[in-house]
Every structure is written in structure tokens, then in C-alpha cells.
Amino acid sequence: MLPFARVTIIGLGLIGSSIARGVRAGMPGVALSGYDADPEVRETARALALVDDVADTPGAALIDADLVILCVPVGAIGAVAAEIAADLPADAILSDVGSCKASVVEALQAALPAATIVPAHPVAGTERSGPEAGFAALFHKRWCILTPPEGTPAVAVERVAEFWRRLGADIDIMAPDHHDRVLAVTSHLPHLIAYTIVGTASDLEEVTSSEVIKYSAGGFRDFTRIAASDPTMWRDVFLSNREAVLDMLQRFSEDLSELQRAIRWGKGDQLFDTFTRTRAVRRSIIEQGQDDARPDFGRGDH
Ligand SMILES: NC(=O)C1=CN([C@@H]2O[C@H](COP(=O)(O)OP(=O)(O)OC[C@H]3O[C@@H](n4cnc5c(N)ncnc54)[C@H](O)[C@@H]3O)[C@@H](O)[C@H]2O)C=CC1
Ligand SMILES: O=C(O)C(=O)Cc1ccc(O)cc1
């Protein structure tokens, strides 16, 4: 049996449109409606027939919904929740896909104190954004982390879990604070490093930008992909997950200083040992089937 009959997606960009496409592919009986604050996105969503009905107001998109998923930047989630509060059907489950969870759970509970809330974070995405960037296979064999507040009925959590399983994801359940620390080091800090290094290279005076482009080796190219990620989304992530990111950044700076010292004093063994340890991390990611090179990773940009 399908976990939901009528799903509303608020925010029809990369993630919202990928969910819509995944629902069409894997749960064809589900009625889909959607809303986006940007009229151009609504037009594109209509042209692509992403959902059955693209509404011109959030309230109109919510009629008879039994699952409502907020797919907007983290900094907009609280305002959107407040905007839909009067129209959210009493028995609907409210979810989101935000990349950080503690601040989001707090904002959702404040705006919708009576609602059943099951926050989610699909750990899957690309550097692209907008309704045309989405694809149905985005969540295949990716983790989707649920962070239900204490007291959320288990049956509601299980329905949302089943929804994501049908989109191809594997489910983990975590406390919001723990989620934010884990993602600070595995996702948020890497993005900050990429934004920094690409900025550093483009600020160099003695190296021209055409040389940066011409001689960019694999590692730098990977950084430029990540540093092309959506500025609004990532501004919001860093402001919302401030404490955990600052803590991981502190640890990173200390480790970087150690490597800096090893280079200065010619401590080859220390460099070699560090690089050997990190190589093992890459190997275990590949053994677990989580590397991007696997054949079914259908990125929109390849
Ligand atoms: N891009 C990625 O790789 C991933 C993103 N996420 C999370 O998913 C959420 C959405 O990100 P994307 O789809 O990548 O962004 P996106 O920029 O592609 O789409 C966001 C959409 O939300 C709309 N929007 C903004 N404010 C709104 C409002 N007040 N009311 C209605 N619509 C509004 C925008 O017009 C836009 O179409 C974010 O919270 C992000 O942290 C989660 C996993 C991966
Ligand atoms: O494009 C990439 O490499 C990503 O890391 C995508 C991504 C971005 C944000 C998330 O919360 C989860 C996944």
C-alpha cells in the first residue's frame, strides 16, 4: 500500500522536482501538487508537468494533502511553515529536506505546534539548482536521515520512511543535533573548503584565470564543481548550523597547521602516515557502494 495518497511539494527546485519525478516513477498512484514562490519556477514546473497541479498560492497547494514536504532553503523553512499554518490539513504529516536539522526542527515546531512533524534530509544532491536540474534517480541508494522530534508517533515516522524507501533511499534515524555535527564534517565543511580554495585561486595575481582553467587538475576541478553550488542554499546552511560548523572548522584548522608544520620541517613520515590513513577512508566508502563512480549514479550534469 502506498504510504501517502496526496503529496504537496513546496519549493520545486532541484530536490522538490527530483522528489516529484521520483514519485511519478515509483509511486504512480500518488496525486501530486506543488507551489513555488518564484512565478518563473511555477511556469517551468507546469511546462515540465512535474506535478498534477501547480498552485499559485501555498494554501491552494495543500488541499487534501496527507504529506507536505518543504523543499526550500533552510533559512526560509520557518517563514514557509508560518505561511501554511492556517491551511495545513489537521491529519497531514509535515516534512522537509533541509541540510541542517536542529534549527529547522525548532522553527517547524514553533510555527506548527500541533502538527505531526517528521523532518528529513536526503543526503543526495548536486551543485545544480532549479526545477530542470532534478532527476528521479537522485535518491537511489543514498541515505535519507529522519530526525523526528521526541513524541512523534512511530507510525508517522514509518510512513515517511516508506515514502523515501520507495524513492530508492536507505533510512537512518538520528537526533537533530547529532545529524548536524555529522553533516558539518562530511558535507558543510567540505563545501566551505571548496568555496575558499576556488576563491583563493581566482584571487591570485601572478596566475591568470585562464591558467587556472587550463591547468586545473582533477582535485581542483572537483572543488570547482562543489564551489558552483547554490549561494542562497549554502549561506543558509552555514548560518543555521553555525556552532557545529565552527567547531569542525577549528579542528580542521588545527590539523591543517600540523600538516603545515610537517611540510616546513620536512617530516615526510608524518605526511606519509596521514595520507595512508585517509586513503583507507576512501577505500571503505567505495566498499560500501557510496562512491559517485558507481554506474547508476545518474547525475543530471553528466
Ligand atoms: N542541493 C542539494 O544538493 C541538496 C539540498 N538539500 C536541501 O534542499 C532544500 C532545497 O534545495 P534545492 O532544491 O537544492 O534548492 P533550489 O534552489 O533548487 O530550490 C529551492 C526552491 O525553493 C523556492 N523557494 C524559496 N523560498 C521559497 C518560499 N518562501 N516559498 C516557496 N518557495 C520558495 C525557490 O524559488 C526554489 O525554486 C534546501 O533546504 C537544501 O538545504 C538537501 C539535500 C541536497
Ligand atoms: O553535490 C555534492 O557533492 C553534494 O554534496 C550534494 C549535497 C548537498 C547538500 C546536502 O545536504 C546533501 C548533498
Side-chain angles (χ1 to χ4, degrees):
M1 206 181 105
L2 291 167
F4 298 99
R6 196 169 192 92
V7 174
T8 298
I9 301 169
I10 308 278
L12 294 165
L14 171 73
I15 300 297
S17 75
S18 294
I19 294 174
R21 289 172 168 102
V23 168
R24 289 255 198 253
M27 293 174 262
V30 171
L32 276 174
S33 63
Y35 169 77
D36 196 288
D38 182 337
E40 270 184 40
V41 173
R42 296 203 295 272
E43 264 328 292
T44 307
R46 285 190 185 108
L48 295 170
L50 283 179
V51 295
D52 302 313
D53 178 43
V54 179
D56 281 321
T57 63
L62 295 178
I63 296 166
D64 292 335
D66 52 4
L67 174 65
V68 176
I69 314 177
L70 308 186
C71 302
V72 301
V74 168
I77 288 179
V80 174
E83 204 181 347
I84 66 171
D87 298 305
L88 185 69
D91 54 357
I93 292 175
L94 191 280
S95 189
D96 76 294
V97 293
S99 300
C100 6
K101 299 271 59 115
S103 61
V104 165
V105 173
E106 202 179 303
L108 290 175
Q109 285 184 308
L112 302 164
T116 304
I117 299 170
V118 183
H121 177 202
V123 187
T126 76
E127 70 286 9
R128 302 182 65 210
S129 47
E132 281 156 322
F135 53 102
L138 178 63
F139 310 113
H140 285 189
K141 296 189 189 156
R142 296 278 149 176
W143 288 103
C144 181
I145 303 171
L146 306 183
T147 62
E150 260 178 56
T152 308
V155 64
V157 178
E158 178 47 33
R159 283 173 76 194
V160 174
E162 180 56 19
F163 177 80
W164 280 100
R165 277 187 215 110
R166 284 176 184 247
L167 294 179
D170 294 321
I171 302 298
D172 252 346
I173 296 183
M174 271 183 209
D177 286 341
H178 184 64
H179 166 280
D180 287 356
R181 288 187 62 75
V182 173
L183 272 292
V185 71
T186 59
S187 176
H188 306 167
L189 189 56
H191 276 77
L192 193 68
I193 293 166
Y195 282 124
T196 310
I197 196 167
V198 175
T200 303
S202 70
D203 285 347
L204 285 175
E205 277 146 22
E206 74 276 25
V207 180
T208 65
S209 56
S210 71
E211 281 174 314
V212 170
I213 294 163
K214 194 166 157 192
Y215 299 117
S216 70
F220 187 74
R221 287 183 80 88
D222 290 350
F223 280 127
T224 61
R225 183 188 74 73
I226 294 179
S229 300
D230 188 70
T232 303
M233 170 186 157
W234 284 98
R235 174 202 63 197
D236 287 6
V237 167
F238 291 118
L239 296 181
S240 301
N241 198 20
R242 183 168 170 262
E243 298 303 325
V245 168
L246 288 176
D247 183 35
M248 297 304 164
L249 189 56
Q250 177 65 33
R251 288 161 187 259
F252 174 78
S253 306
E254 288 167 16
D255 293 344
L256 189 62
S257 296
E258 266 191 41
L259 288 183
Q260 191 176 0
R261 205 172 303 118
I263 293 169
R264 184 180 307 287
W265 298 107
K267 295 196 169 170
D269 287 354
Q270 189 184 337
L271 295 173
F272 187 86
D273 289 350
T274 302
F275 302 160
T276 304
R277 200 159 49 86
T278 57
R279 186 178 237 192
V281 175
R282 171 71 183 171
R283 288 200 175 130
S284 39
I285 290 174
I286 290 171
E287 273 161 28
Q288 287 174 29
Q290 290 285 318
D291 65 311
D292 291 357
R294 58 171 215 246
D296 72 331
F297 189 69
R299 293 194 98 90
D301 56 345
H302 284 193

